[in-house]
Amino acid sequence: MYAQRVLSGMRPTGSLHLGHYHGVLKNWVRLQNEYPCLFFVADWHALTTQYDDPQGIVGATWEMIIDWLAAGVDPARATLFIQSQVPEHAELHLLLSMMTPLGWLERVPTYKDQQEKLENKDLSTYGFLGYPLLQAADILIYRADKVPVGEDQVPHIEFSREIARRFNHLYGREAGFAEKVAEALNRLGARRARRYEELRTRYQEQGEPSAIERAQALLDEVPALSLADRERLRGHLEGTGKMILVEPAALLTAAARMPGVDGQKMSKSYGNTITLREDAASVTHKLRRMPTDPARIRRNDPGEPGNCPVWPLHQVYSDEACRAWVEQGCRSAGIGCLECKQPVIDAILREQAPMRERAQEYIEQPELVREIVAEGNRKARHLARETMRDVRQALGLNFG
Ligand code: SF4
């Protein structure tokens, strides 16, 4: 049994926008108060699609980390690191690639989708095909049991679970496993061992999920049981052998659809973003220029918020009273569009103010960011090495 741990990463895209803040970073800030969290820059992942243009990755990485810190990600609570600075990710990826059926990779839904979306790029590469496996290695190397994802990423987590299961099944049977299980059962005591075997039979023959939970609870009743024995009995229970890699679970995050300044989803590729630290004049200018309901040609033409791209922003930023004021004022032509936009402008500037302030310290002292990341790399590497020690041992790759 391993500690609870959250892992999440982002490709280095440079300055982040409010869509990233509402969709990901707010969630990270919440999670860092609930679990030990590891947040990383997936720079190797960037290379899977950007292999012909790697020059901007380093600069984009530092920019993005400043945005994380600006958004409230706290290095005292979470570990912030860069994937390529923990080379164990690459080693685990390589070792997992030896046992990963090609068909599993080709089946990942985003493989074909992305190839079609980025059709101007040659993505018939080994690295691109293998990126879900690199992602699985990123998760499994930290034995992270919780991965915050949106609905569309769930197949990737399921893929990582299958990889962990296959690995544990193939290599989790240490030499003398059956004898060691028998010894561990002796340590449980006759009554508990009998009960454990009954529950194991029920789980394995009838697939009763509550049986496994009860058997695990039974193991928890014996605090003197060593970690190794506990894992063996868990593996014996699930029929997977010793659990070397932990199967992660998706921590589903509600899709927060942050609208851009044209009403479509905020995205760099649509050119409709407001960056986290964009200056106030530019934010105000963009919002004041935003298109509105085309029916409101003159100030006294009534409109319909449902037909206006500003309305989704009110749904993100305004309270009920303000939204009622907009609905009434728009439909009766009681308010003008600039007047209607002002509460959104004010709310965005209010949201950004503490971010700009936090970022300033890091902009003025970039060495602080370097130190935070160096410390994060060190912590992450320590955890990764622990897993790799067990992985190498399971594969019999111990030369020391
Ligand atoms: S009043 Fe507001 S909701 Fe109505 S059209 Fe103008 S900006 Fe849009």
Side-chain angles (χ1 to χ4, degrees):
M1 255 178 293
Y2 298 98
Q4 292 195 327
R5 208 169 274 158
V6 168
L7 178 100
S8 191
M10 267 193 210
R11 287 188 186 206
T13 51
S15 296
L16 299 181
H17 53 67
L18 291 175
H20 296 113
Y21 177 66
H22 286 270
V24 181
L25 292 173
K26 259 168 95 170
N27 196 33
W28 284 13
V29 171
R30 184 179 56 80
L31 287 170
Q32 72 186 358
N33 296 321
E34 295 173 12
Y35 304 103
C37 289
L38 293 144
F39 300 134
F40 72 101
V41 180
D43 54 341
W44 280 339
H45 281 284
L47 283 173
T48 59
T49 50
Q50 213 182 309
Y51 57 85
D52 53 348
D53 180 25
Q55 303 314 327
I57 291 178
V58 171
T61 294
W62 294 121
E63 268 300 295
M64 187 168 83
I65 293 174
I66 292 181
D67 276 342
W68 290 1
L69 296 165
V73 175
D74 180 357
R77 292 169 197 269
T79 302
L80 277 56
F81 69 98
I82 300 173
Q83 182 188 31
S84 65
Q85 302 309 297
V86 185
E88 284 78 6
H89 286 237
E91 184 185 355
L92 184 59
H93 177 216
L94 173 84
L95 295 177
L96 294 177
S97 76
M98 305 300 172
M99 46 142 264
T100 303
L102 213 46
W104 287 18
L105 289 164
E106 287 162 341
R107 222 175 51 204
V108 174
T110 47
Y111 176 60
K112 288 229 153 59
D113 279 10
Q114 285 283 317
Q115 268 189 333
E116 280 160 21
K117 245 190 227 159
L118 302 171
E119 57 182 10
N120 52 347
K121 205 153 239 183
D122 179 9
L123 290 179
S124 50
T125 58
Y126 178 56
F128 185 70
L129 176 68
Y131 99 87
L133 189 62
L134 179 57
Q135 210 170 43
D138 297 335
I139 300 168
L140 299 176
I141 204 158
Y142 297 107
R143 290 172 165 146
D145 58 332
K146 294 180 179 56
V147 185
V149 285
E151 201 76 61
D152 56 330
Q153 285 286 312
V154 170
H156 284 255
I157 306 303
E158 190 43 51
F159 175 79
S160 301
R161 291 170 65 83
E162 282 176 18
I163 295 288
R165 228 173 283 150
R166 183 166 167 84
F167 185 94
N168 290 337
H169 179 71
L170 284 172
Y171 309 113
R173 301 215 170 266
E174 57 190 329
F177 182 72
E179 293 75 22
K180 285 179 180 159
V181 165
E183 284 164 22
L185 281 173
N186 269 340
R187 284 180 206 115
L188 275 188
R191 192 180 52 82
R192 281 204 188 91
R194 225 178 9 257
R195 183 80 187 123
Y196 168 93
E197 286 296 9
E198 275 167 27
L199 291 166
R200 177 173 176 265
T201 309
R202 268 164 56 185
Y203 174 68
Q204 294 203 343
E205 289 178 3
Q206 291 148 37
E208 213 180 287
S210 68
I212 203 162
E213 280 164 24
R214 280 153 64 198
Q216 280 162 8
L218 192 129
L219 298 181
D220 291 340
E221 286 171 13
V222 191
L225 208 60
S226 72
L227 185 62
D229 276 346
R230 208 175 287 275
E231 281 167 25
R232 273 179 204 117
L233 289 178
R234 236 183 117 116
H236 183 55
L237 196 61
E238 297 176 16
T240 56
K242 190 172 170 226
M243 189 170 67
I244 300 164
L245 298 178
V246 172
E247 288 181 36
L251 208 57
L252 265 187
T253 53
R257 190 185 173 279
M258 177 70 194
V261 293
D262 57 358
Q264 294 188 79
K265 184 176 183 253
M266 189 177 280
S267 160
K268 235 180 196 171
S269 50
Y270 297 148
N272 64 359
T273 61
I274 293 175
T275 60
L276 246 60
R277 295 178 273 138
E278 190 155 332
D279 72 76
S282 165
V283 173
T284 308
H285 179 70
K286 280 184 182 173
L287 287 159
R288 287 173 73 92
R289 281 187 51 227
M290 257 188 92
T292 60
D293 177 358
R296 295 207 71 182
I297 299 164
R298 284 173 299 270
R299 166 70 178 74
N300 52 0
D301 291 330
E304 170 50 50
N307 298 334
C308 174
V310 179
W311 180 238
L313 283 169
H314 273 294
Q315 285 170 320
V316 174
Y317 286 103
S318 303
D319 60 17
E320 219 169 288
C322 180
R323 289 200 301 265
W325 169 77
V326 171
E327 286 185 292
Q328 205 275 332
C330 180
R331 289 179 187 138
S332 63
I335 57 171
C337 289
L338 285 178
E339 204 181 334
C340 173
K341 288 170 177 178
Q342 197 55 46
V344 172
I345 297 173
D346 293 342
I348 293 180
L349 296 181
R350 252 196 323 272
E351 180 171 75
Q352 287 176 312
M355 299 197 214
R356 270 195 229 100
E357 201 177 305
R358 274 193 290 260
Q360 201 51 37
E361 186 190 357
Y362 298 112
I363 294 166
E364 284 164 11
Q365 301 174 76
E367 68 281 5
L368 282 183
V369 185
R370 305 289 197 274
E371 279 164 25
I372 288 168
V373 172
E375 177 59 11
N377 291 342
R378 196 191 56 72
K379 280 193 198 156
R381 198 149 190 216
H382 175 75
L383 296 173
R385 280 177 168 157
E386 272 179 8
T387 308
M388 284 315 296
R389 193 193 51 218
D390 294 349
V391 165
R392 287 186 210 115
Q393 197 170 29
L395 287 159
L397 294 172
N398 268 346
F399 292 98

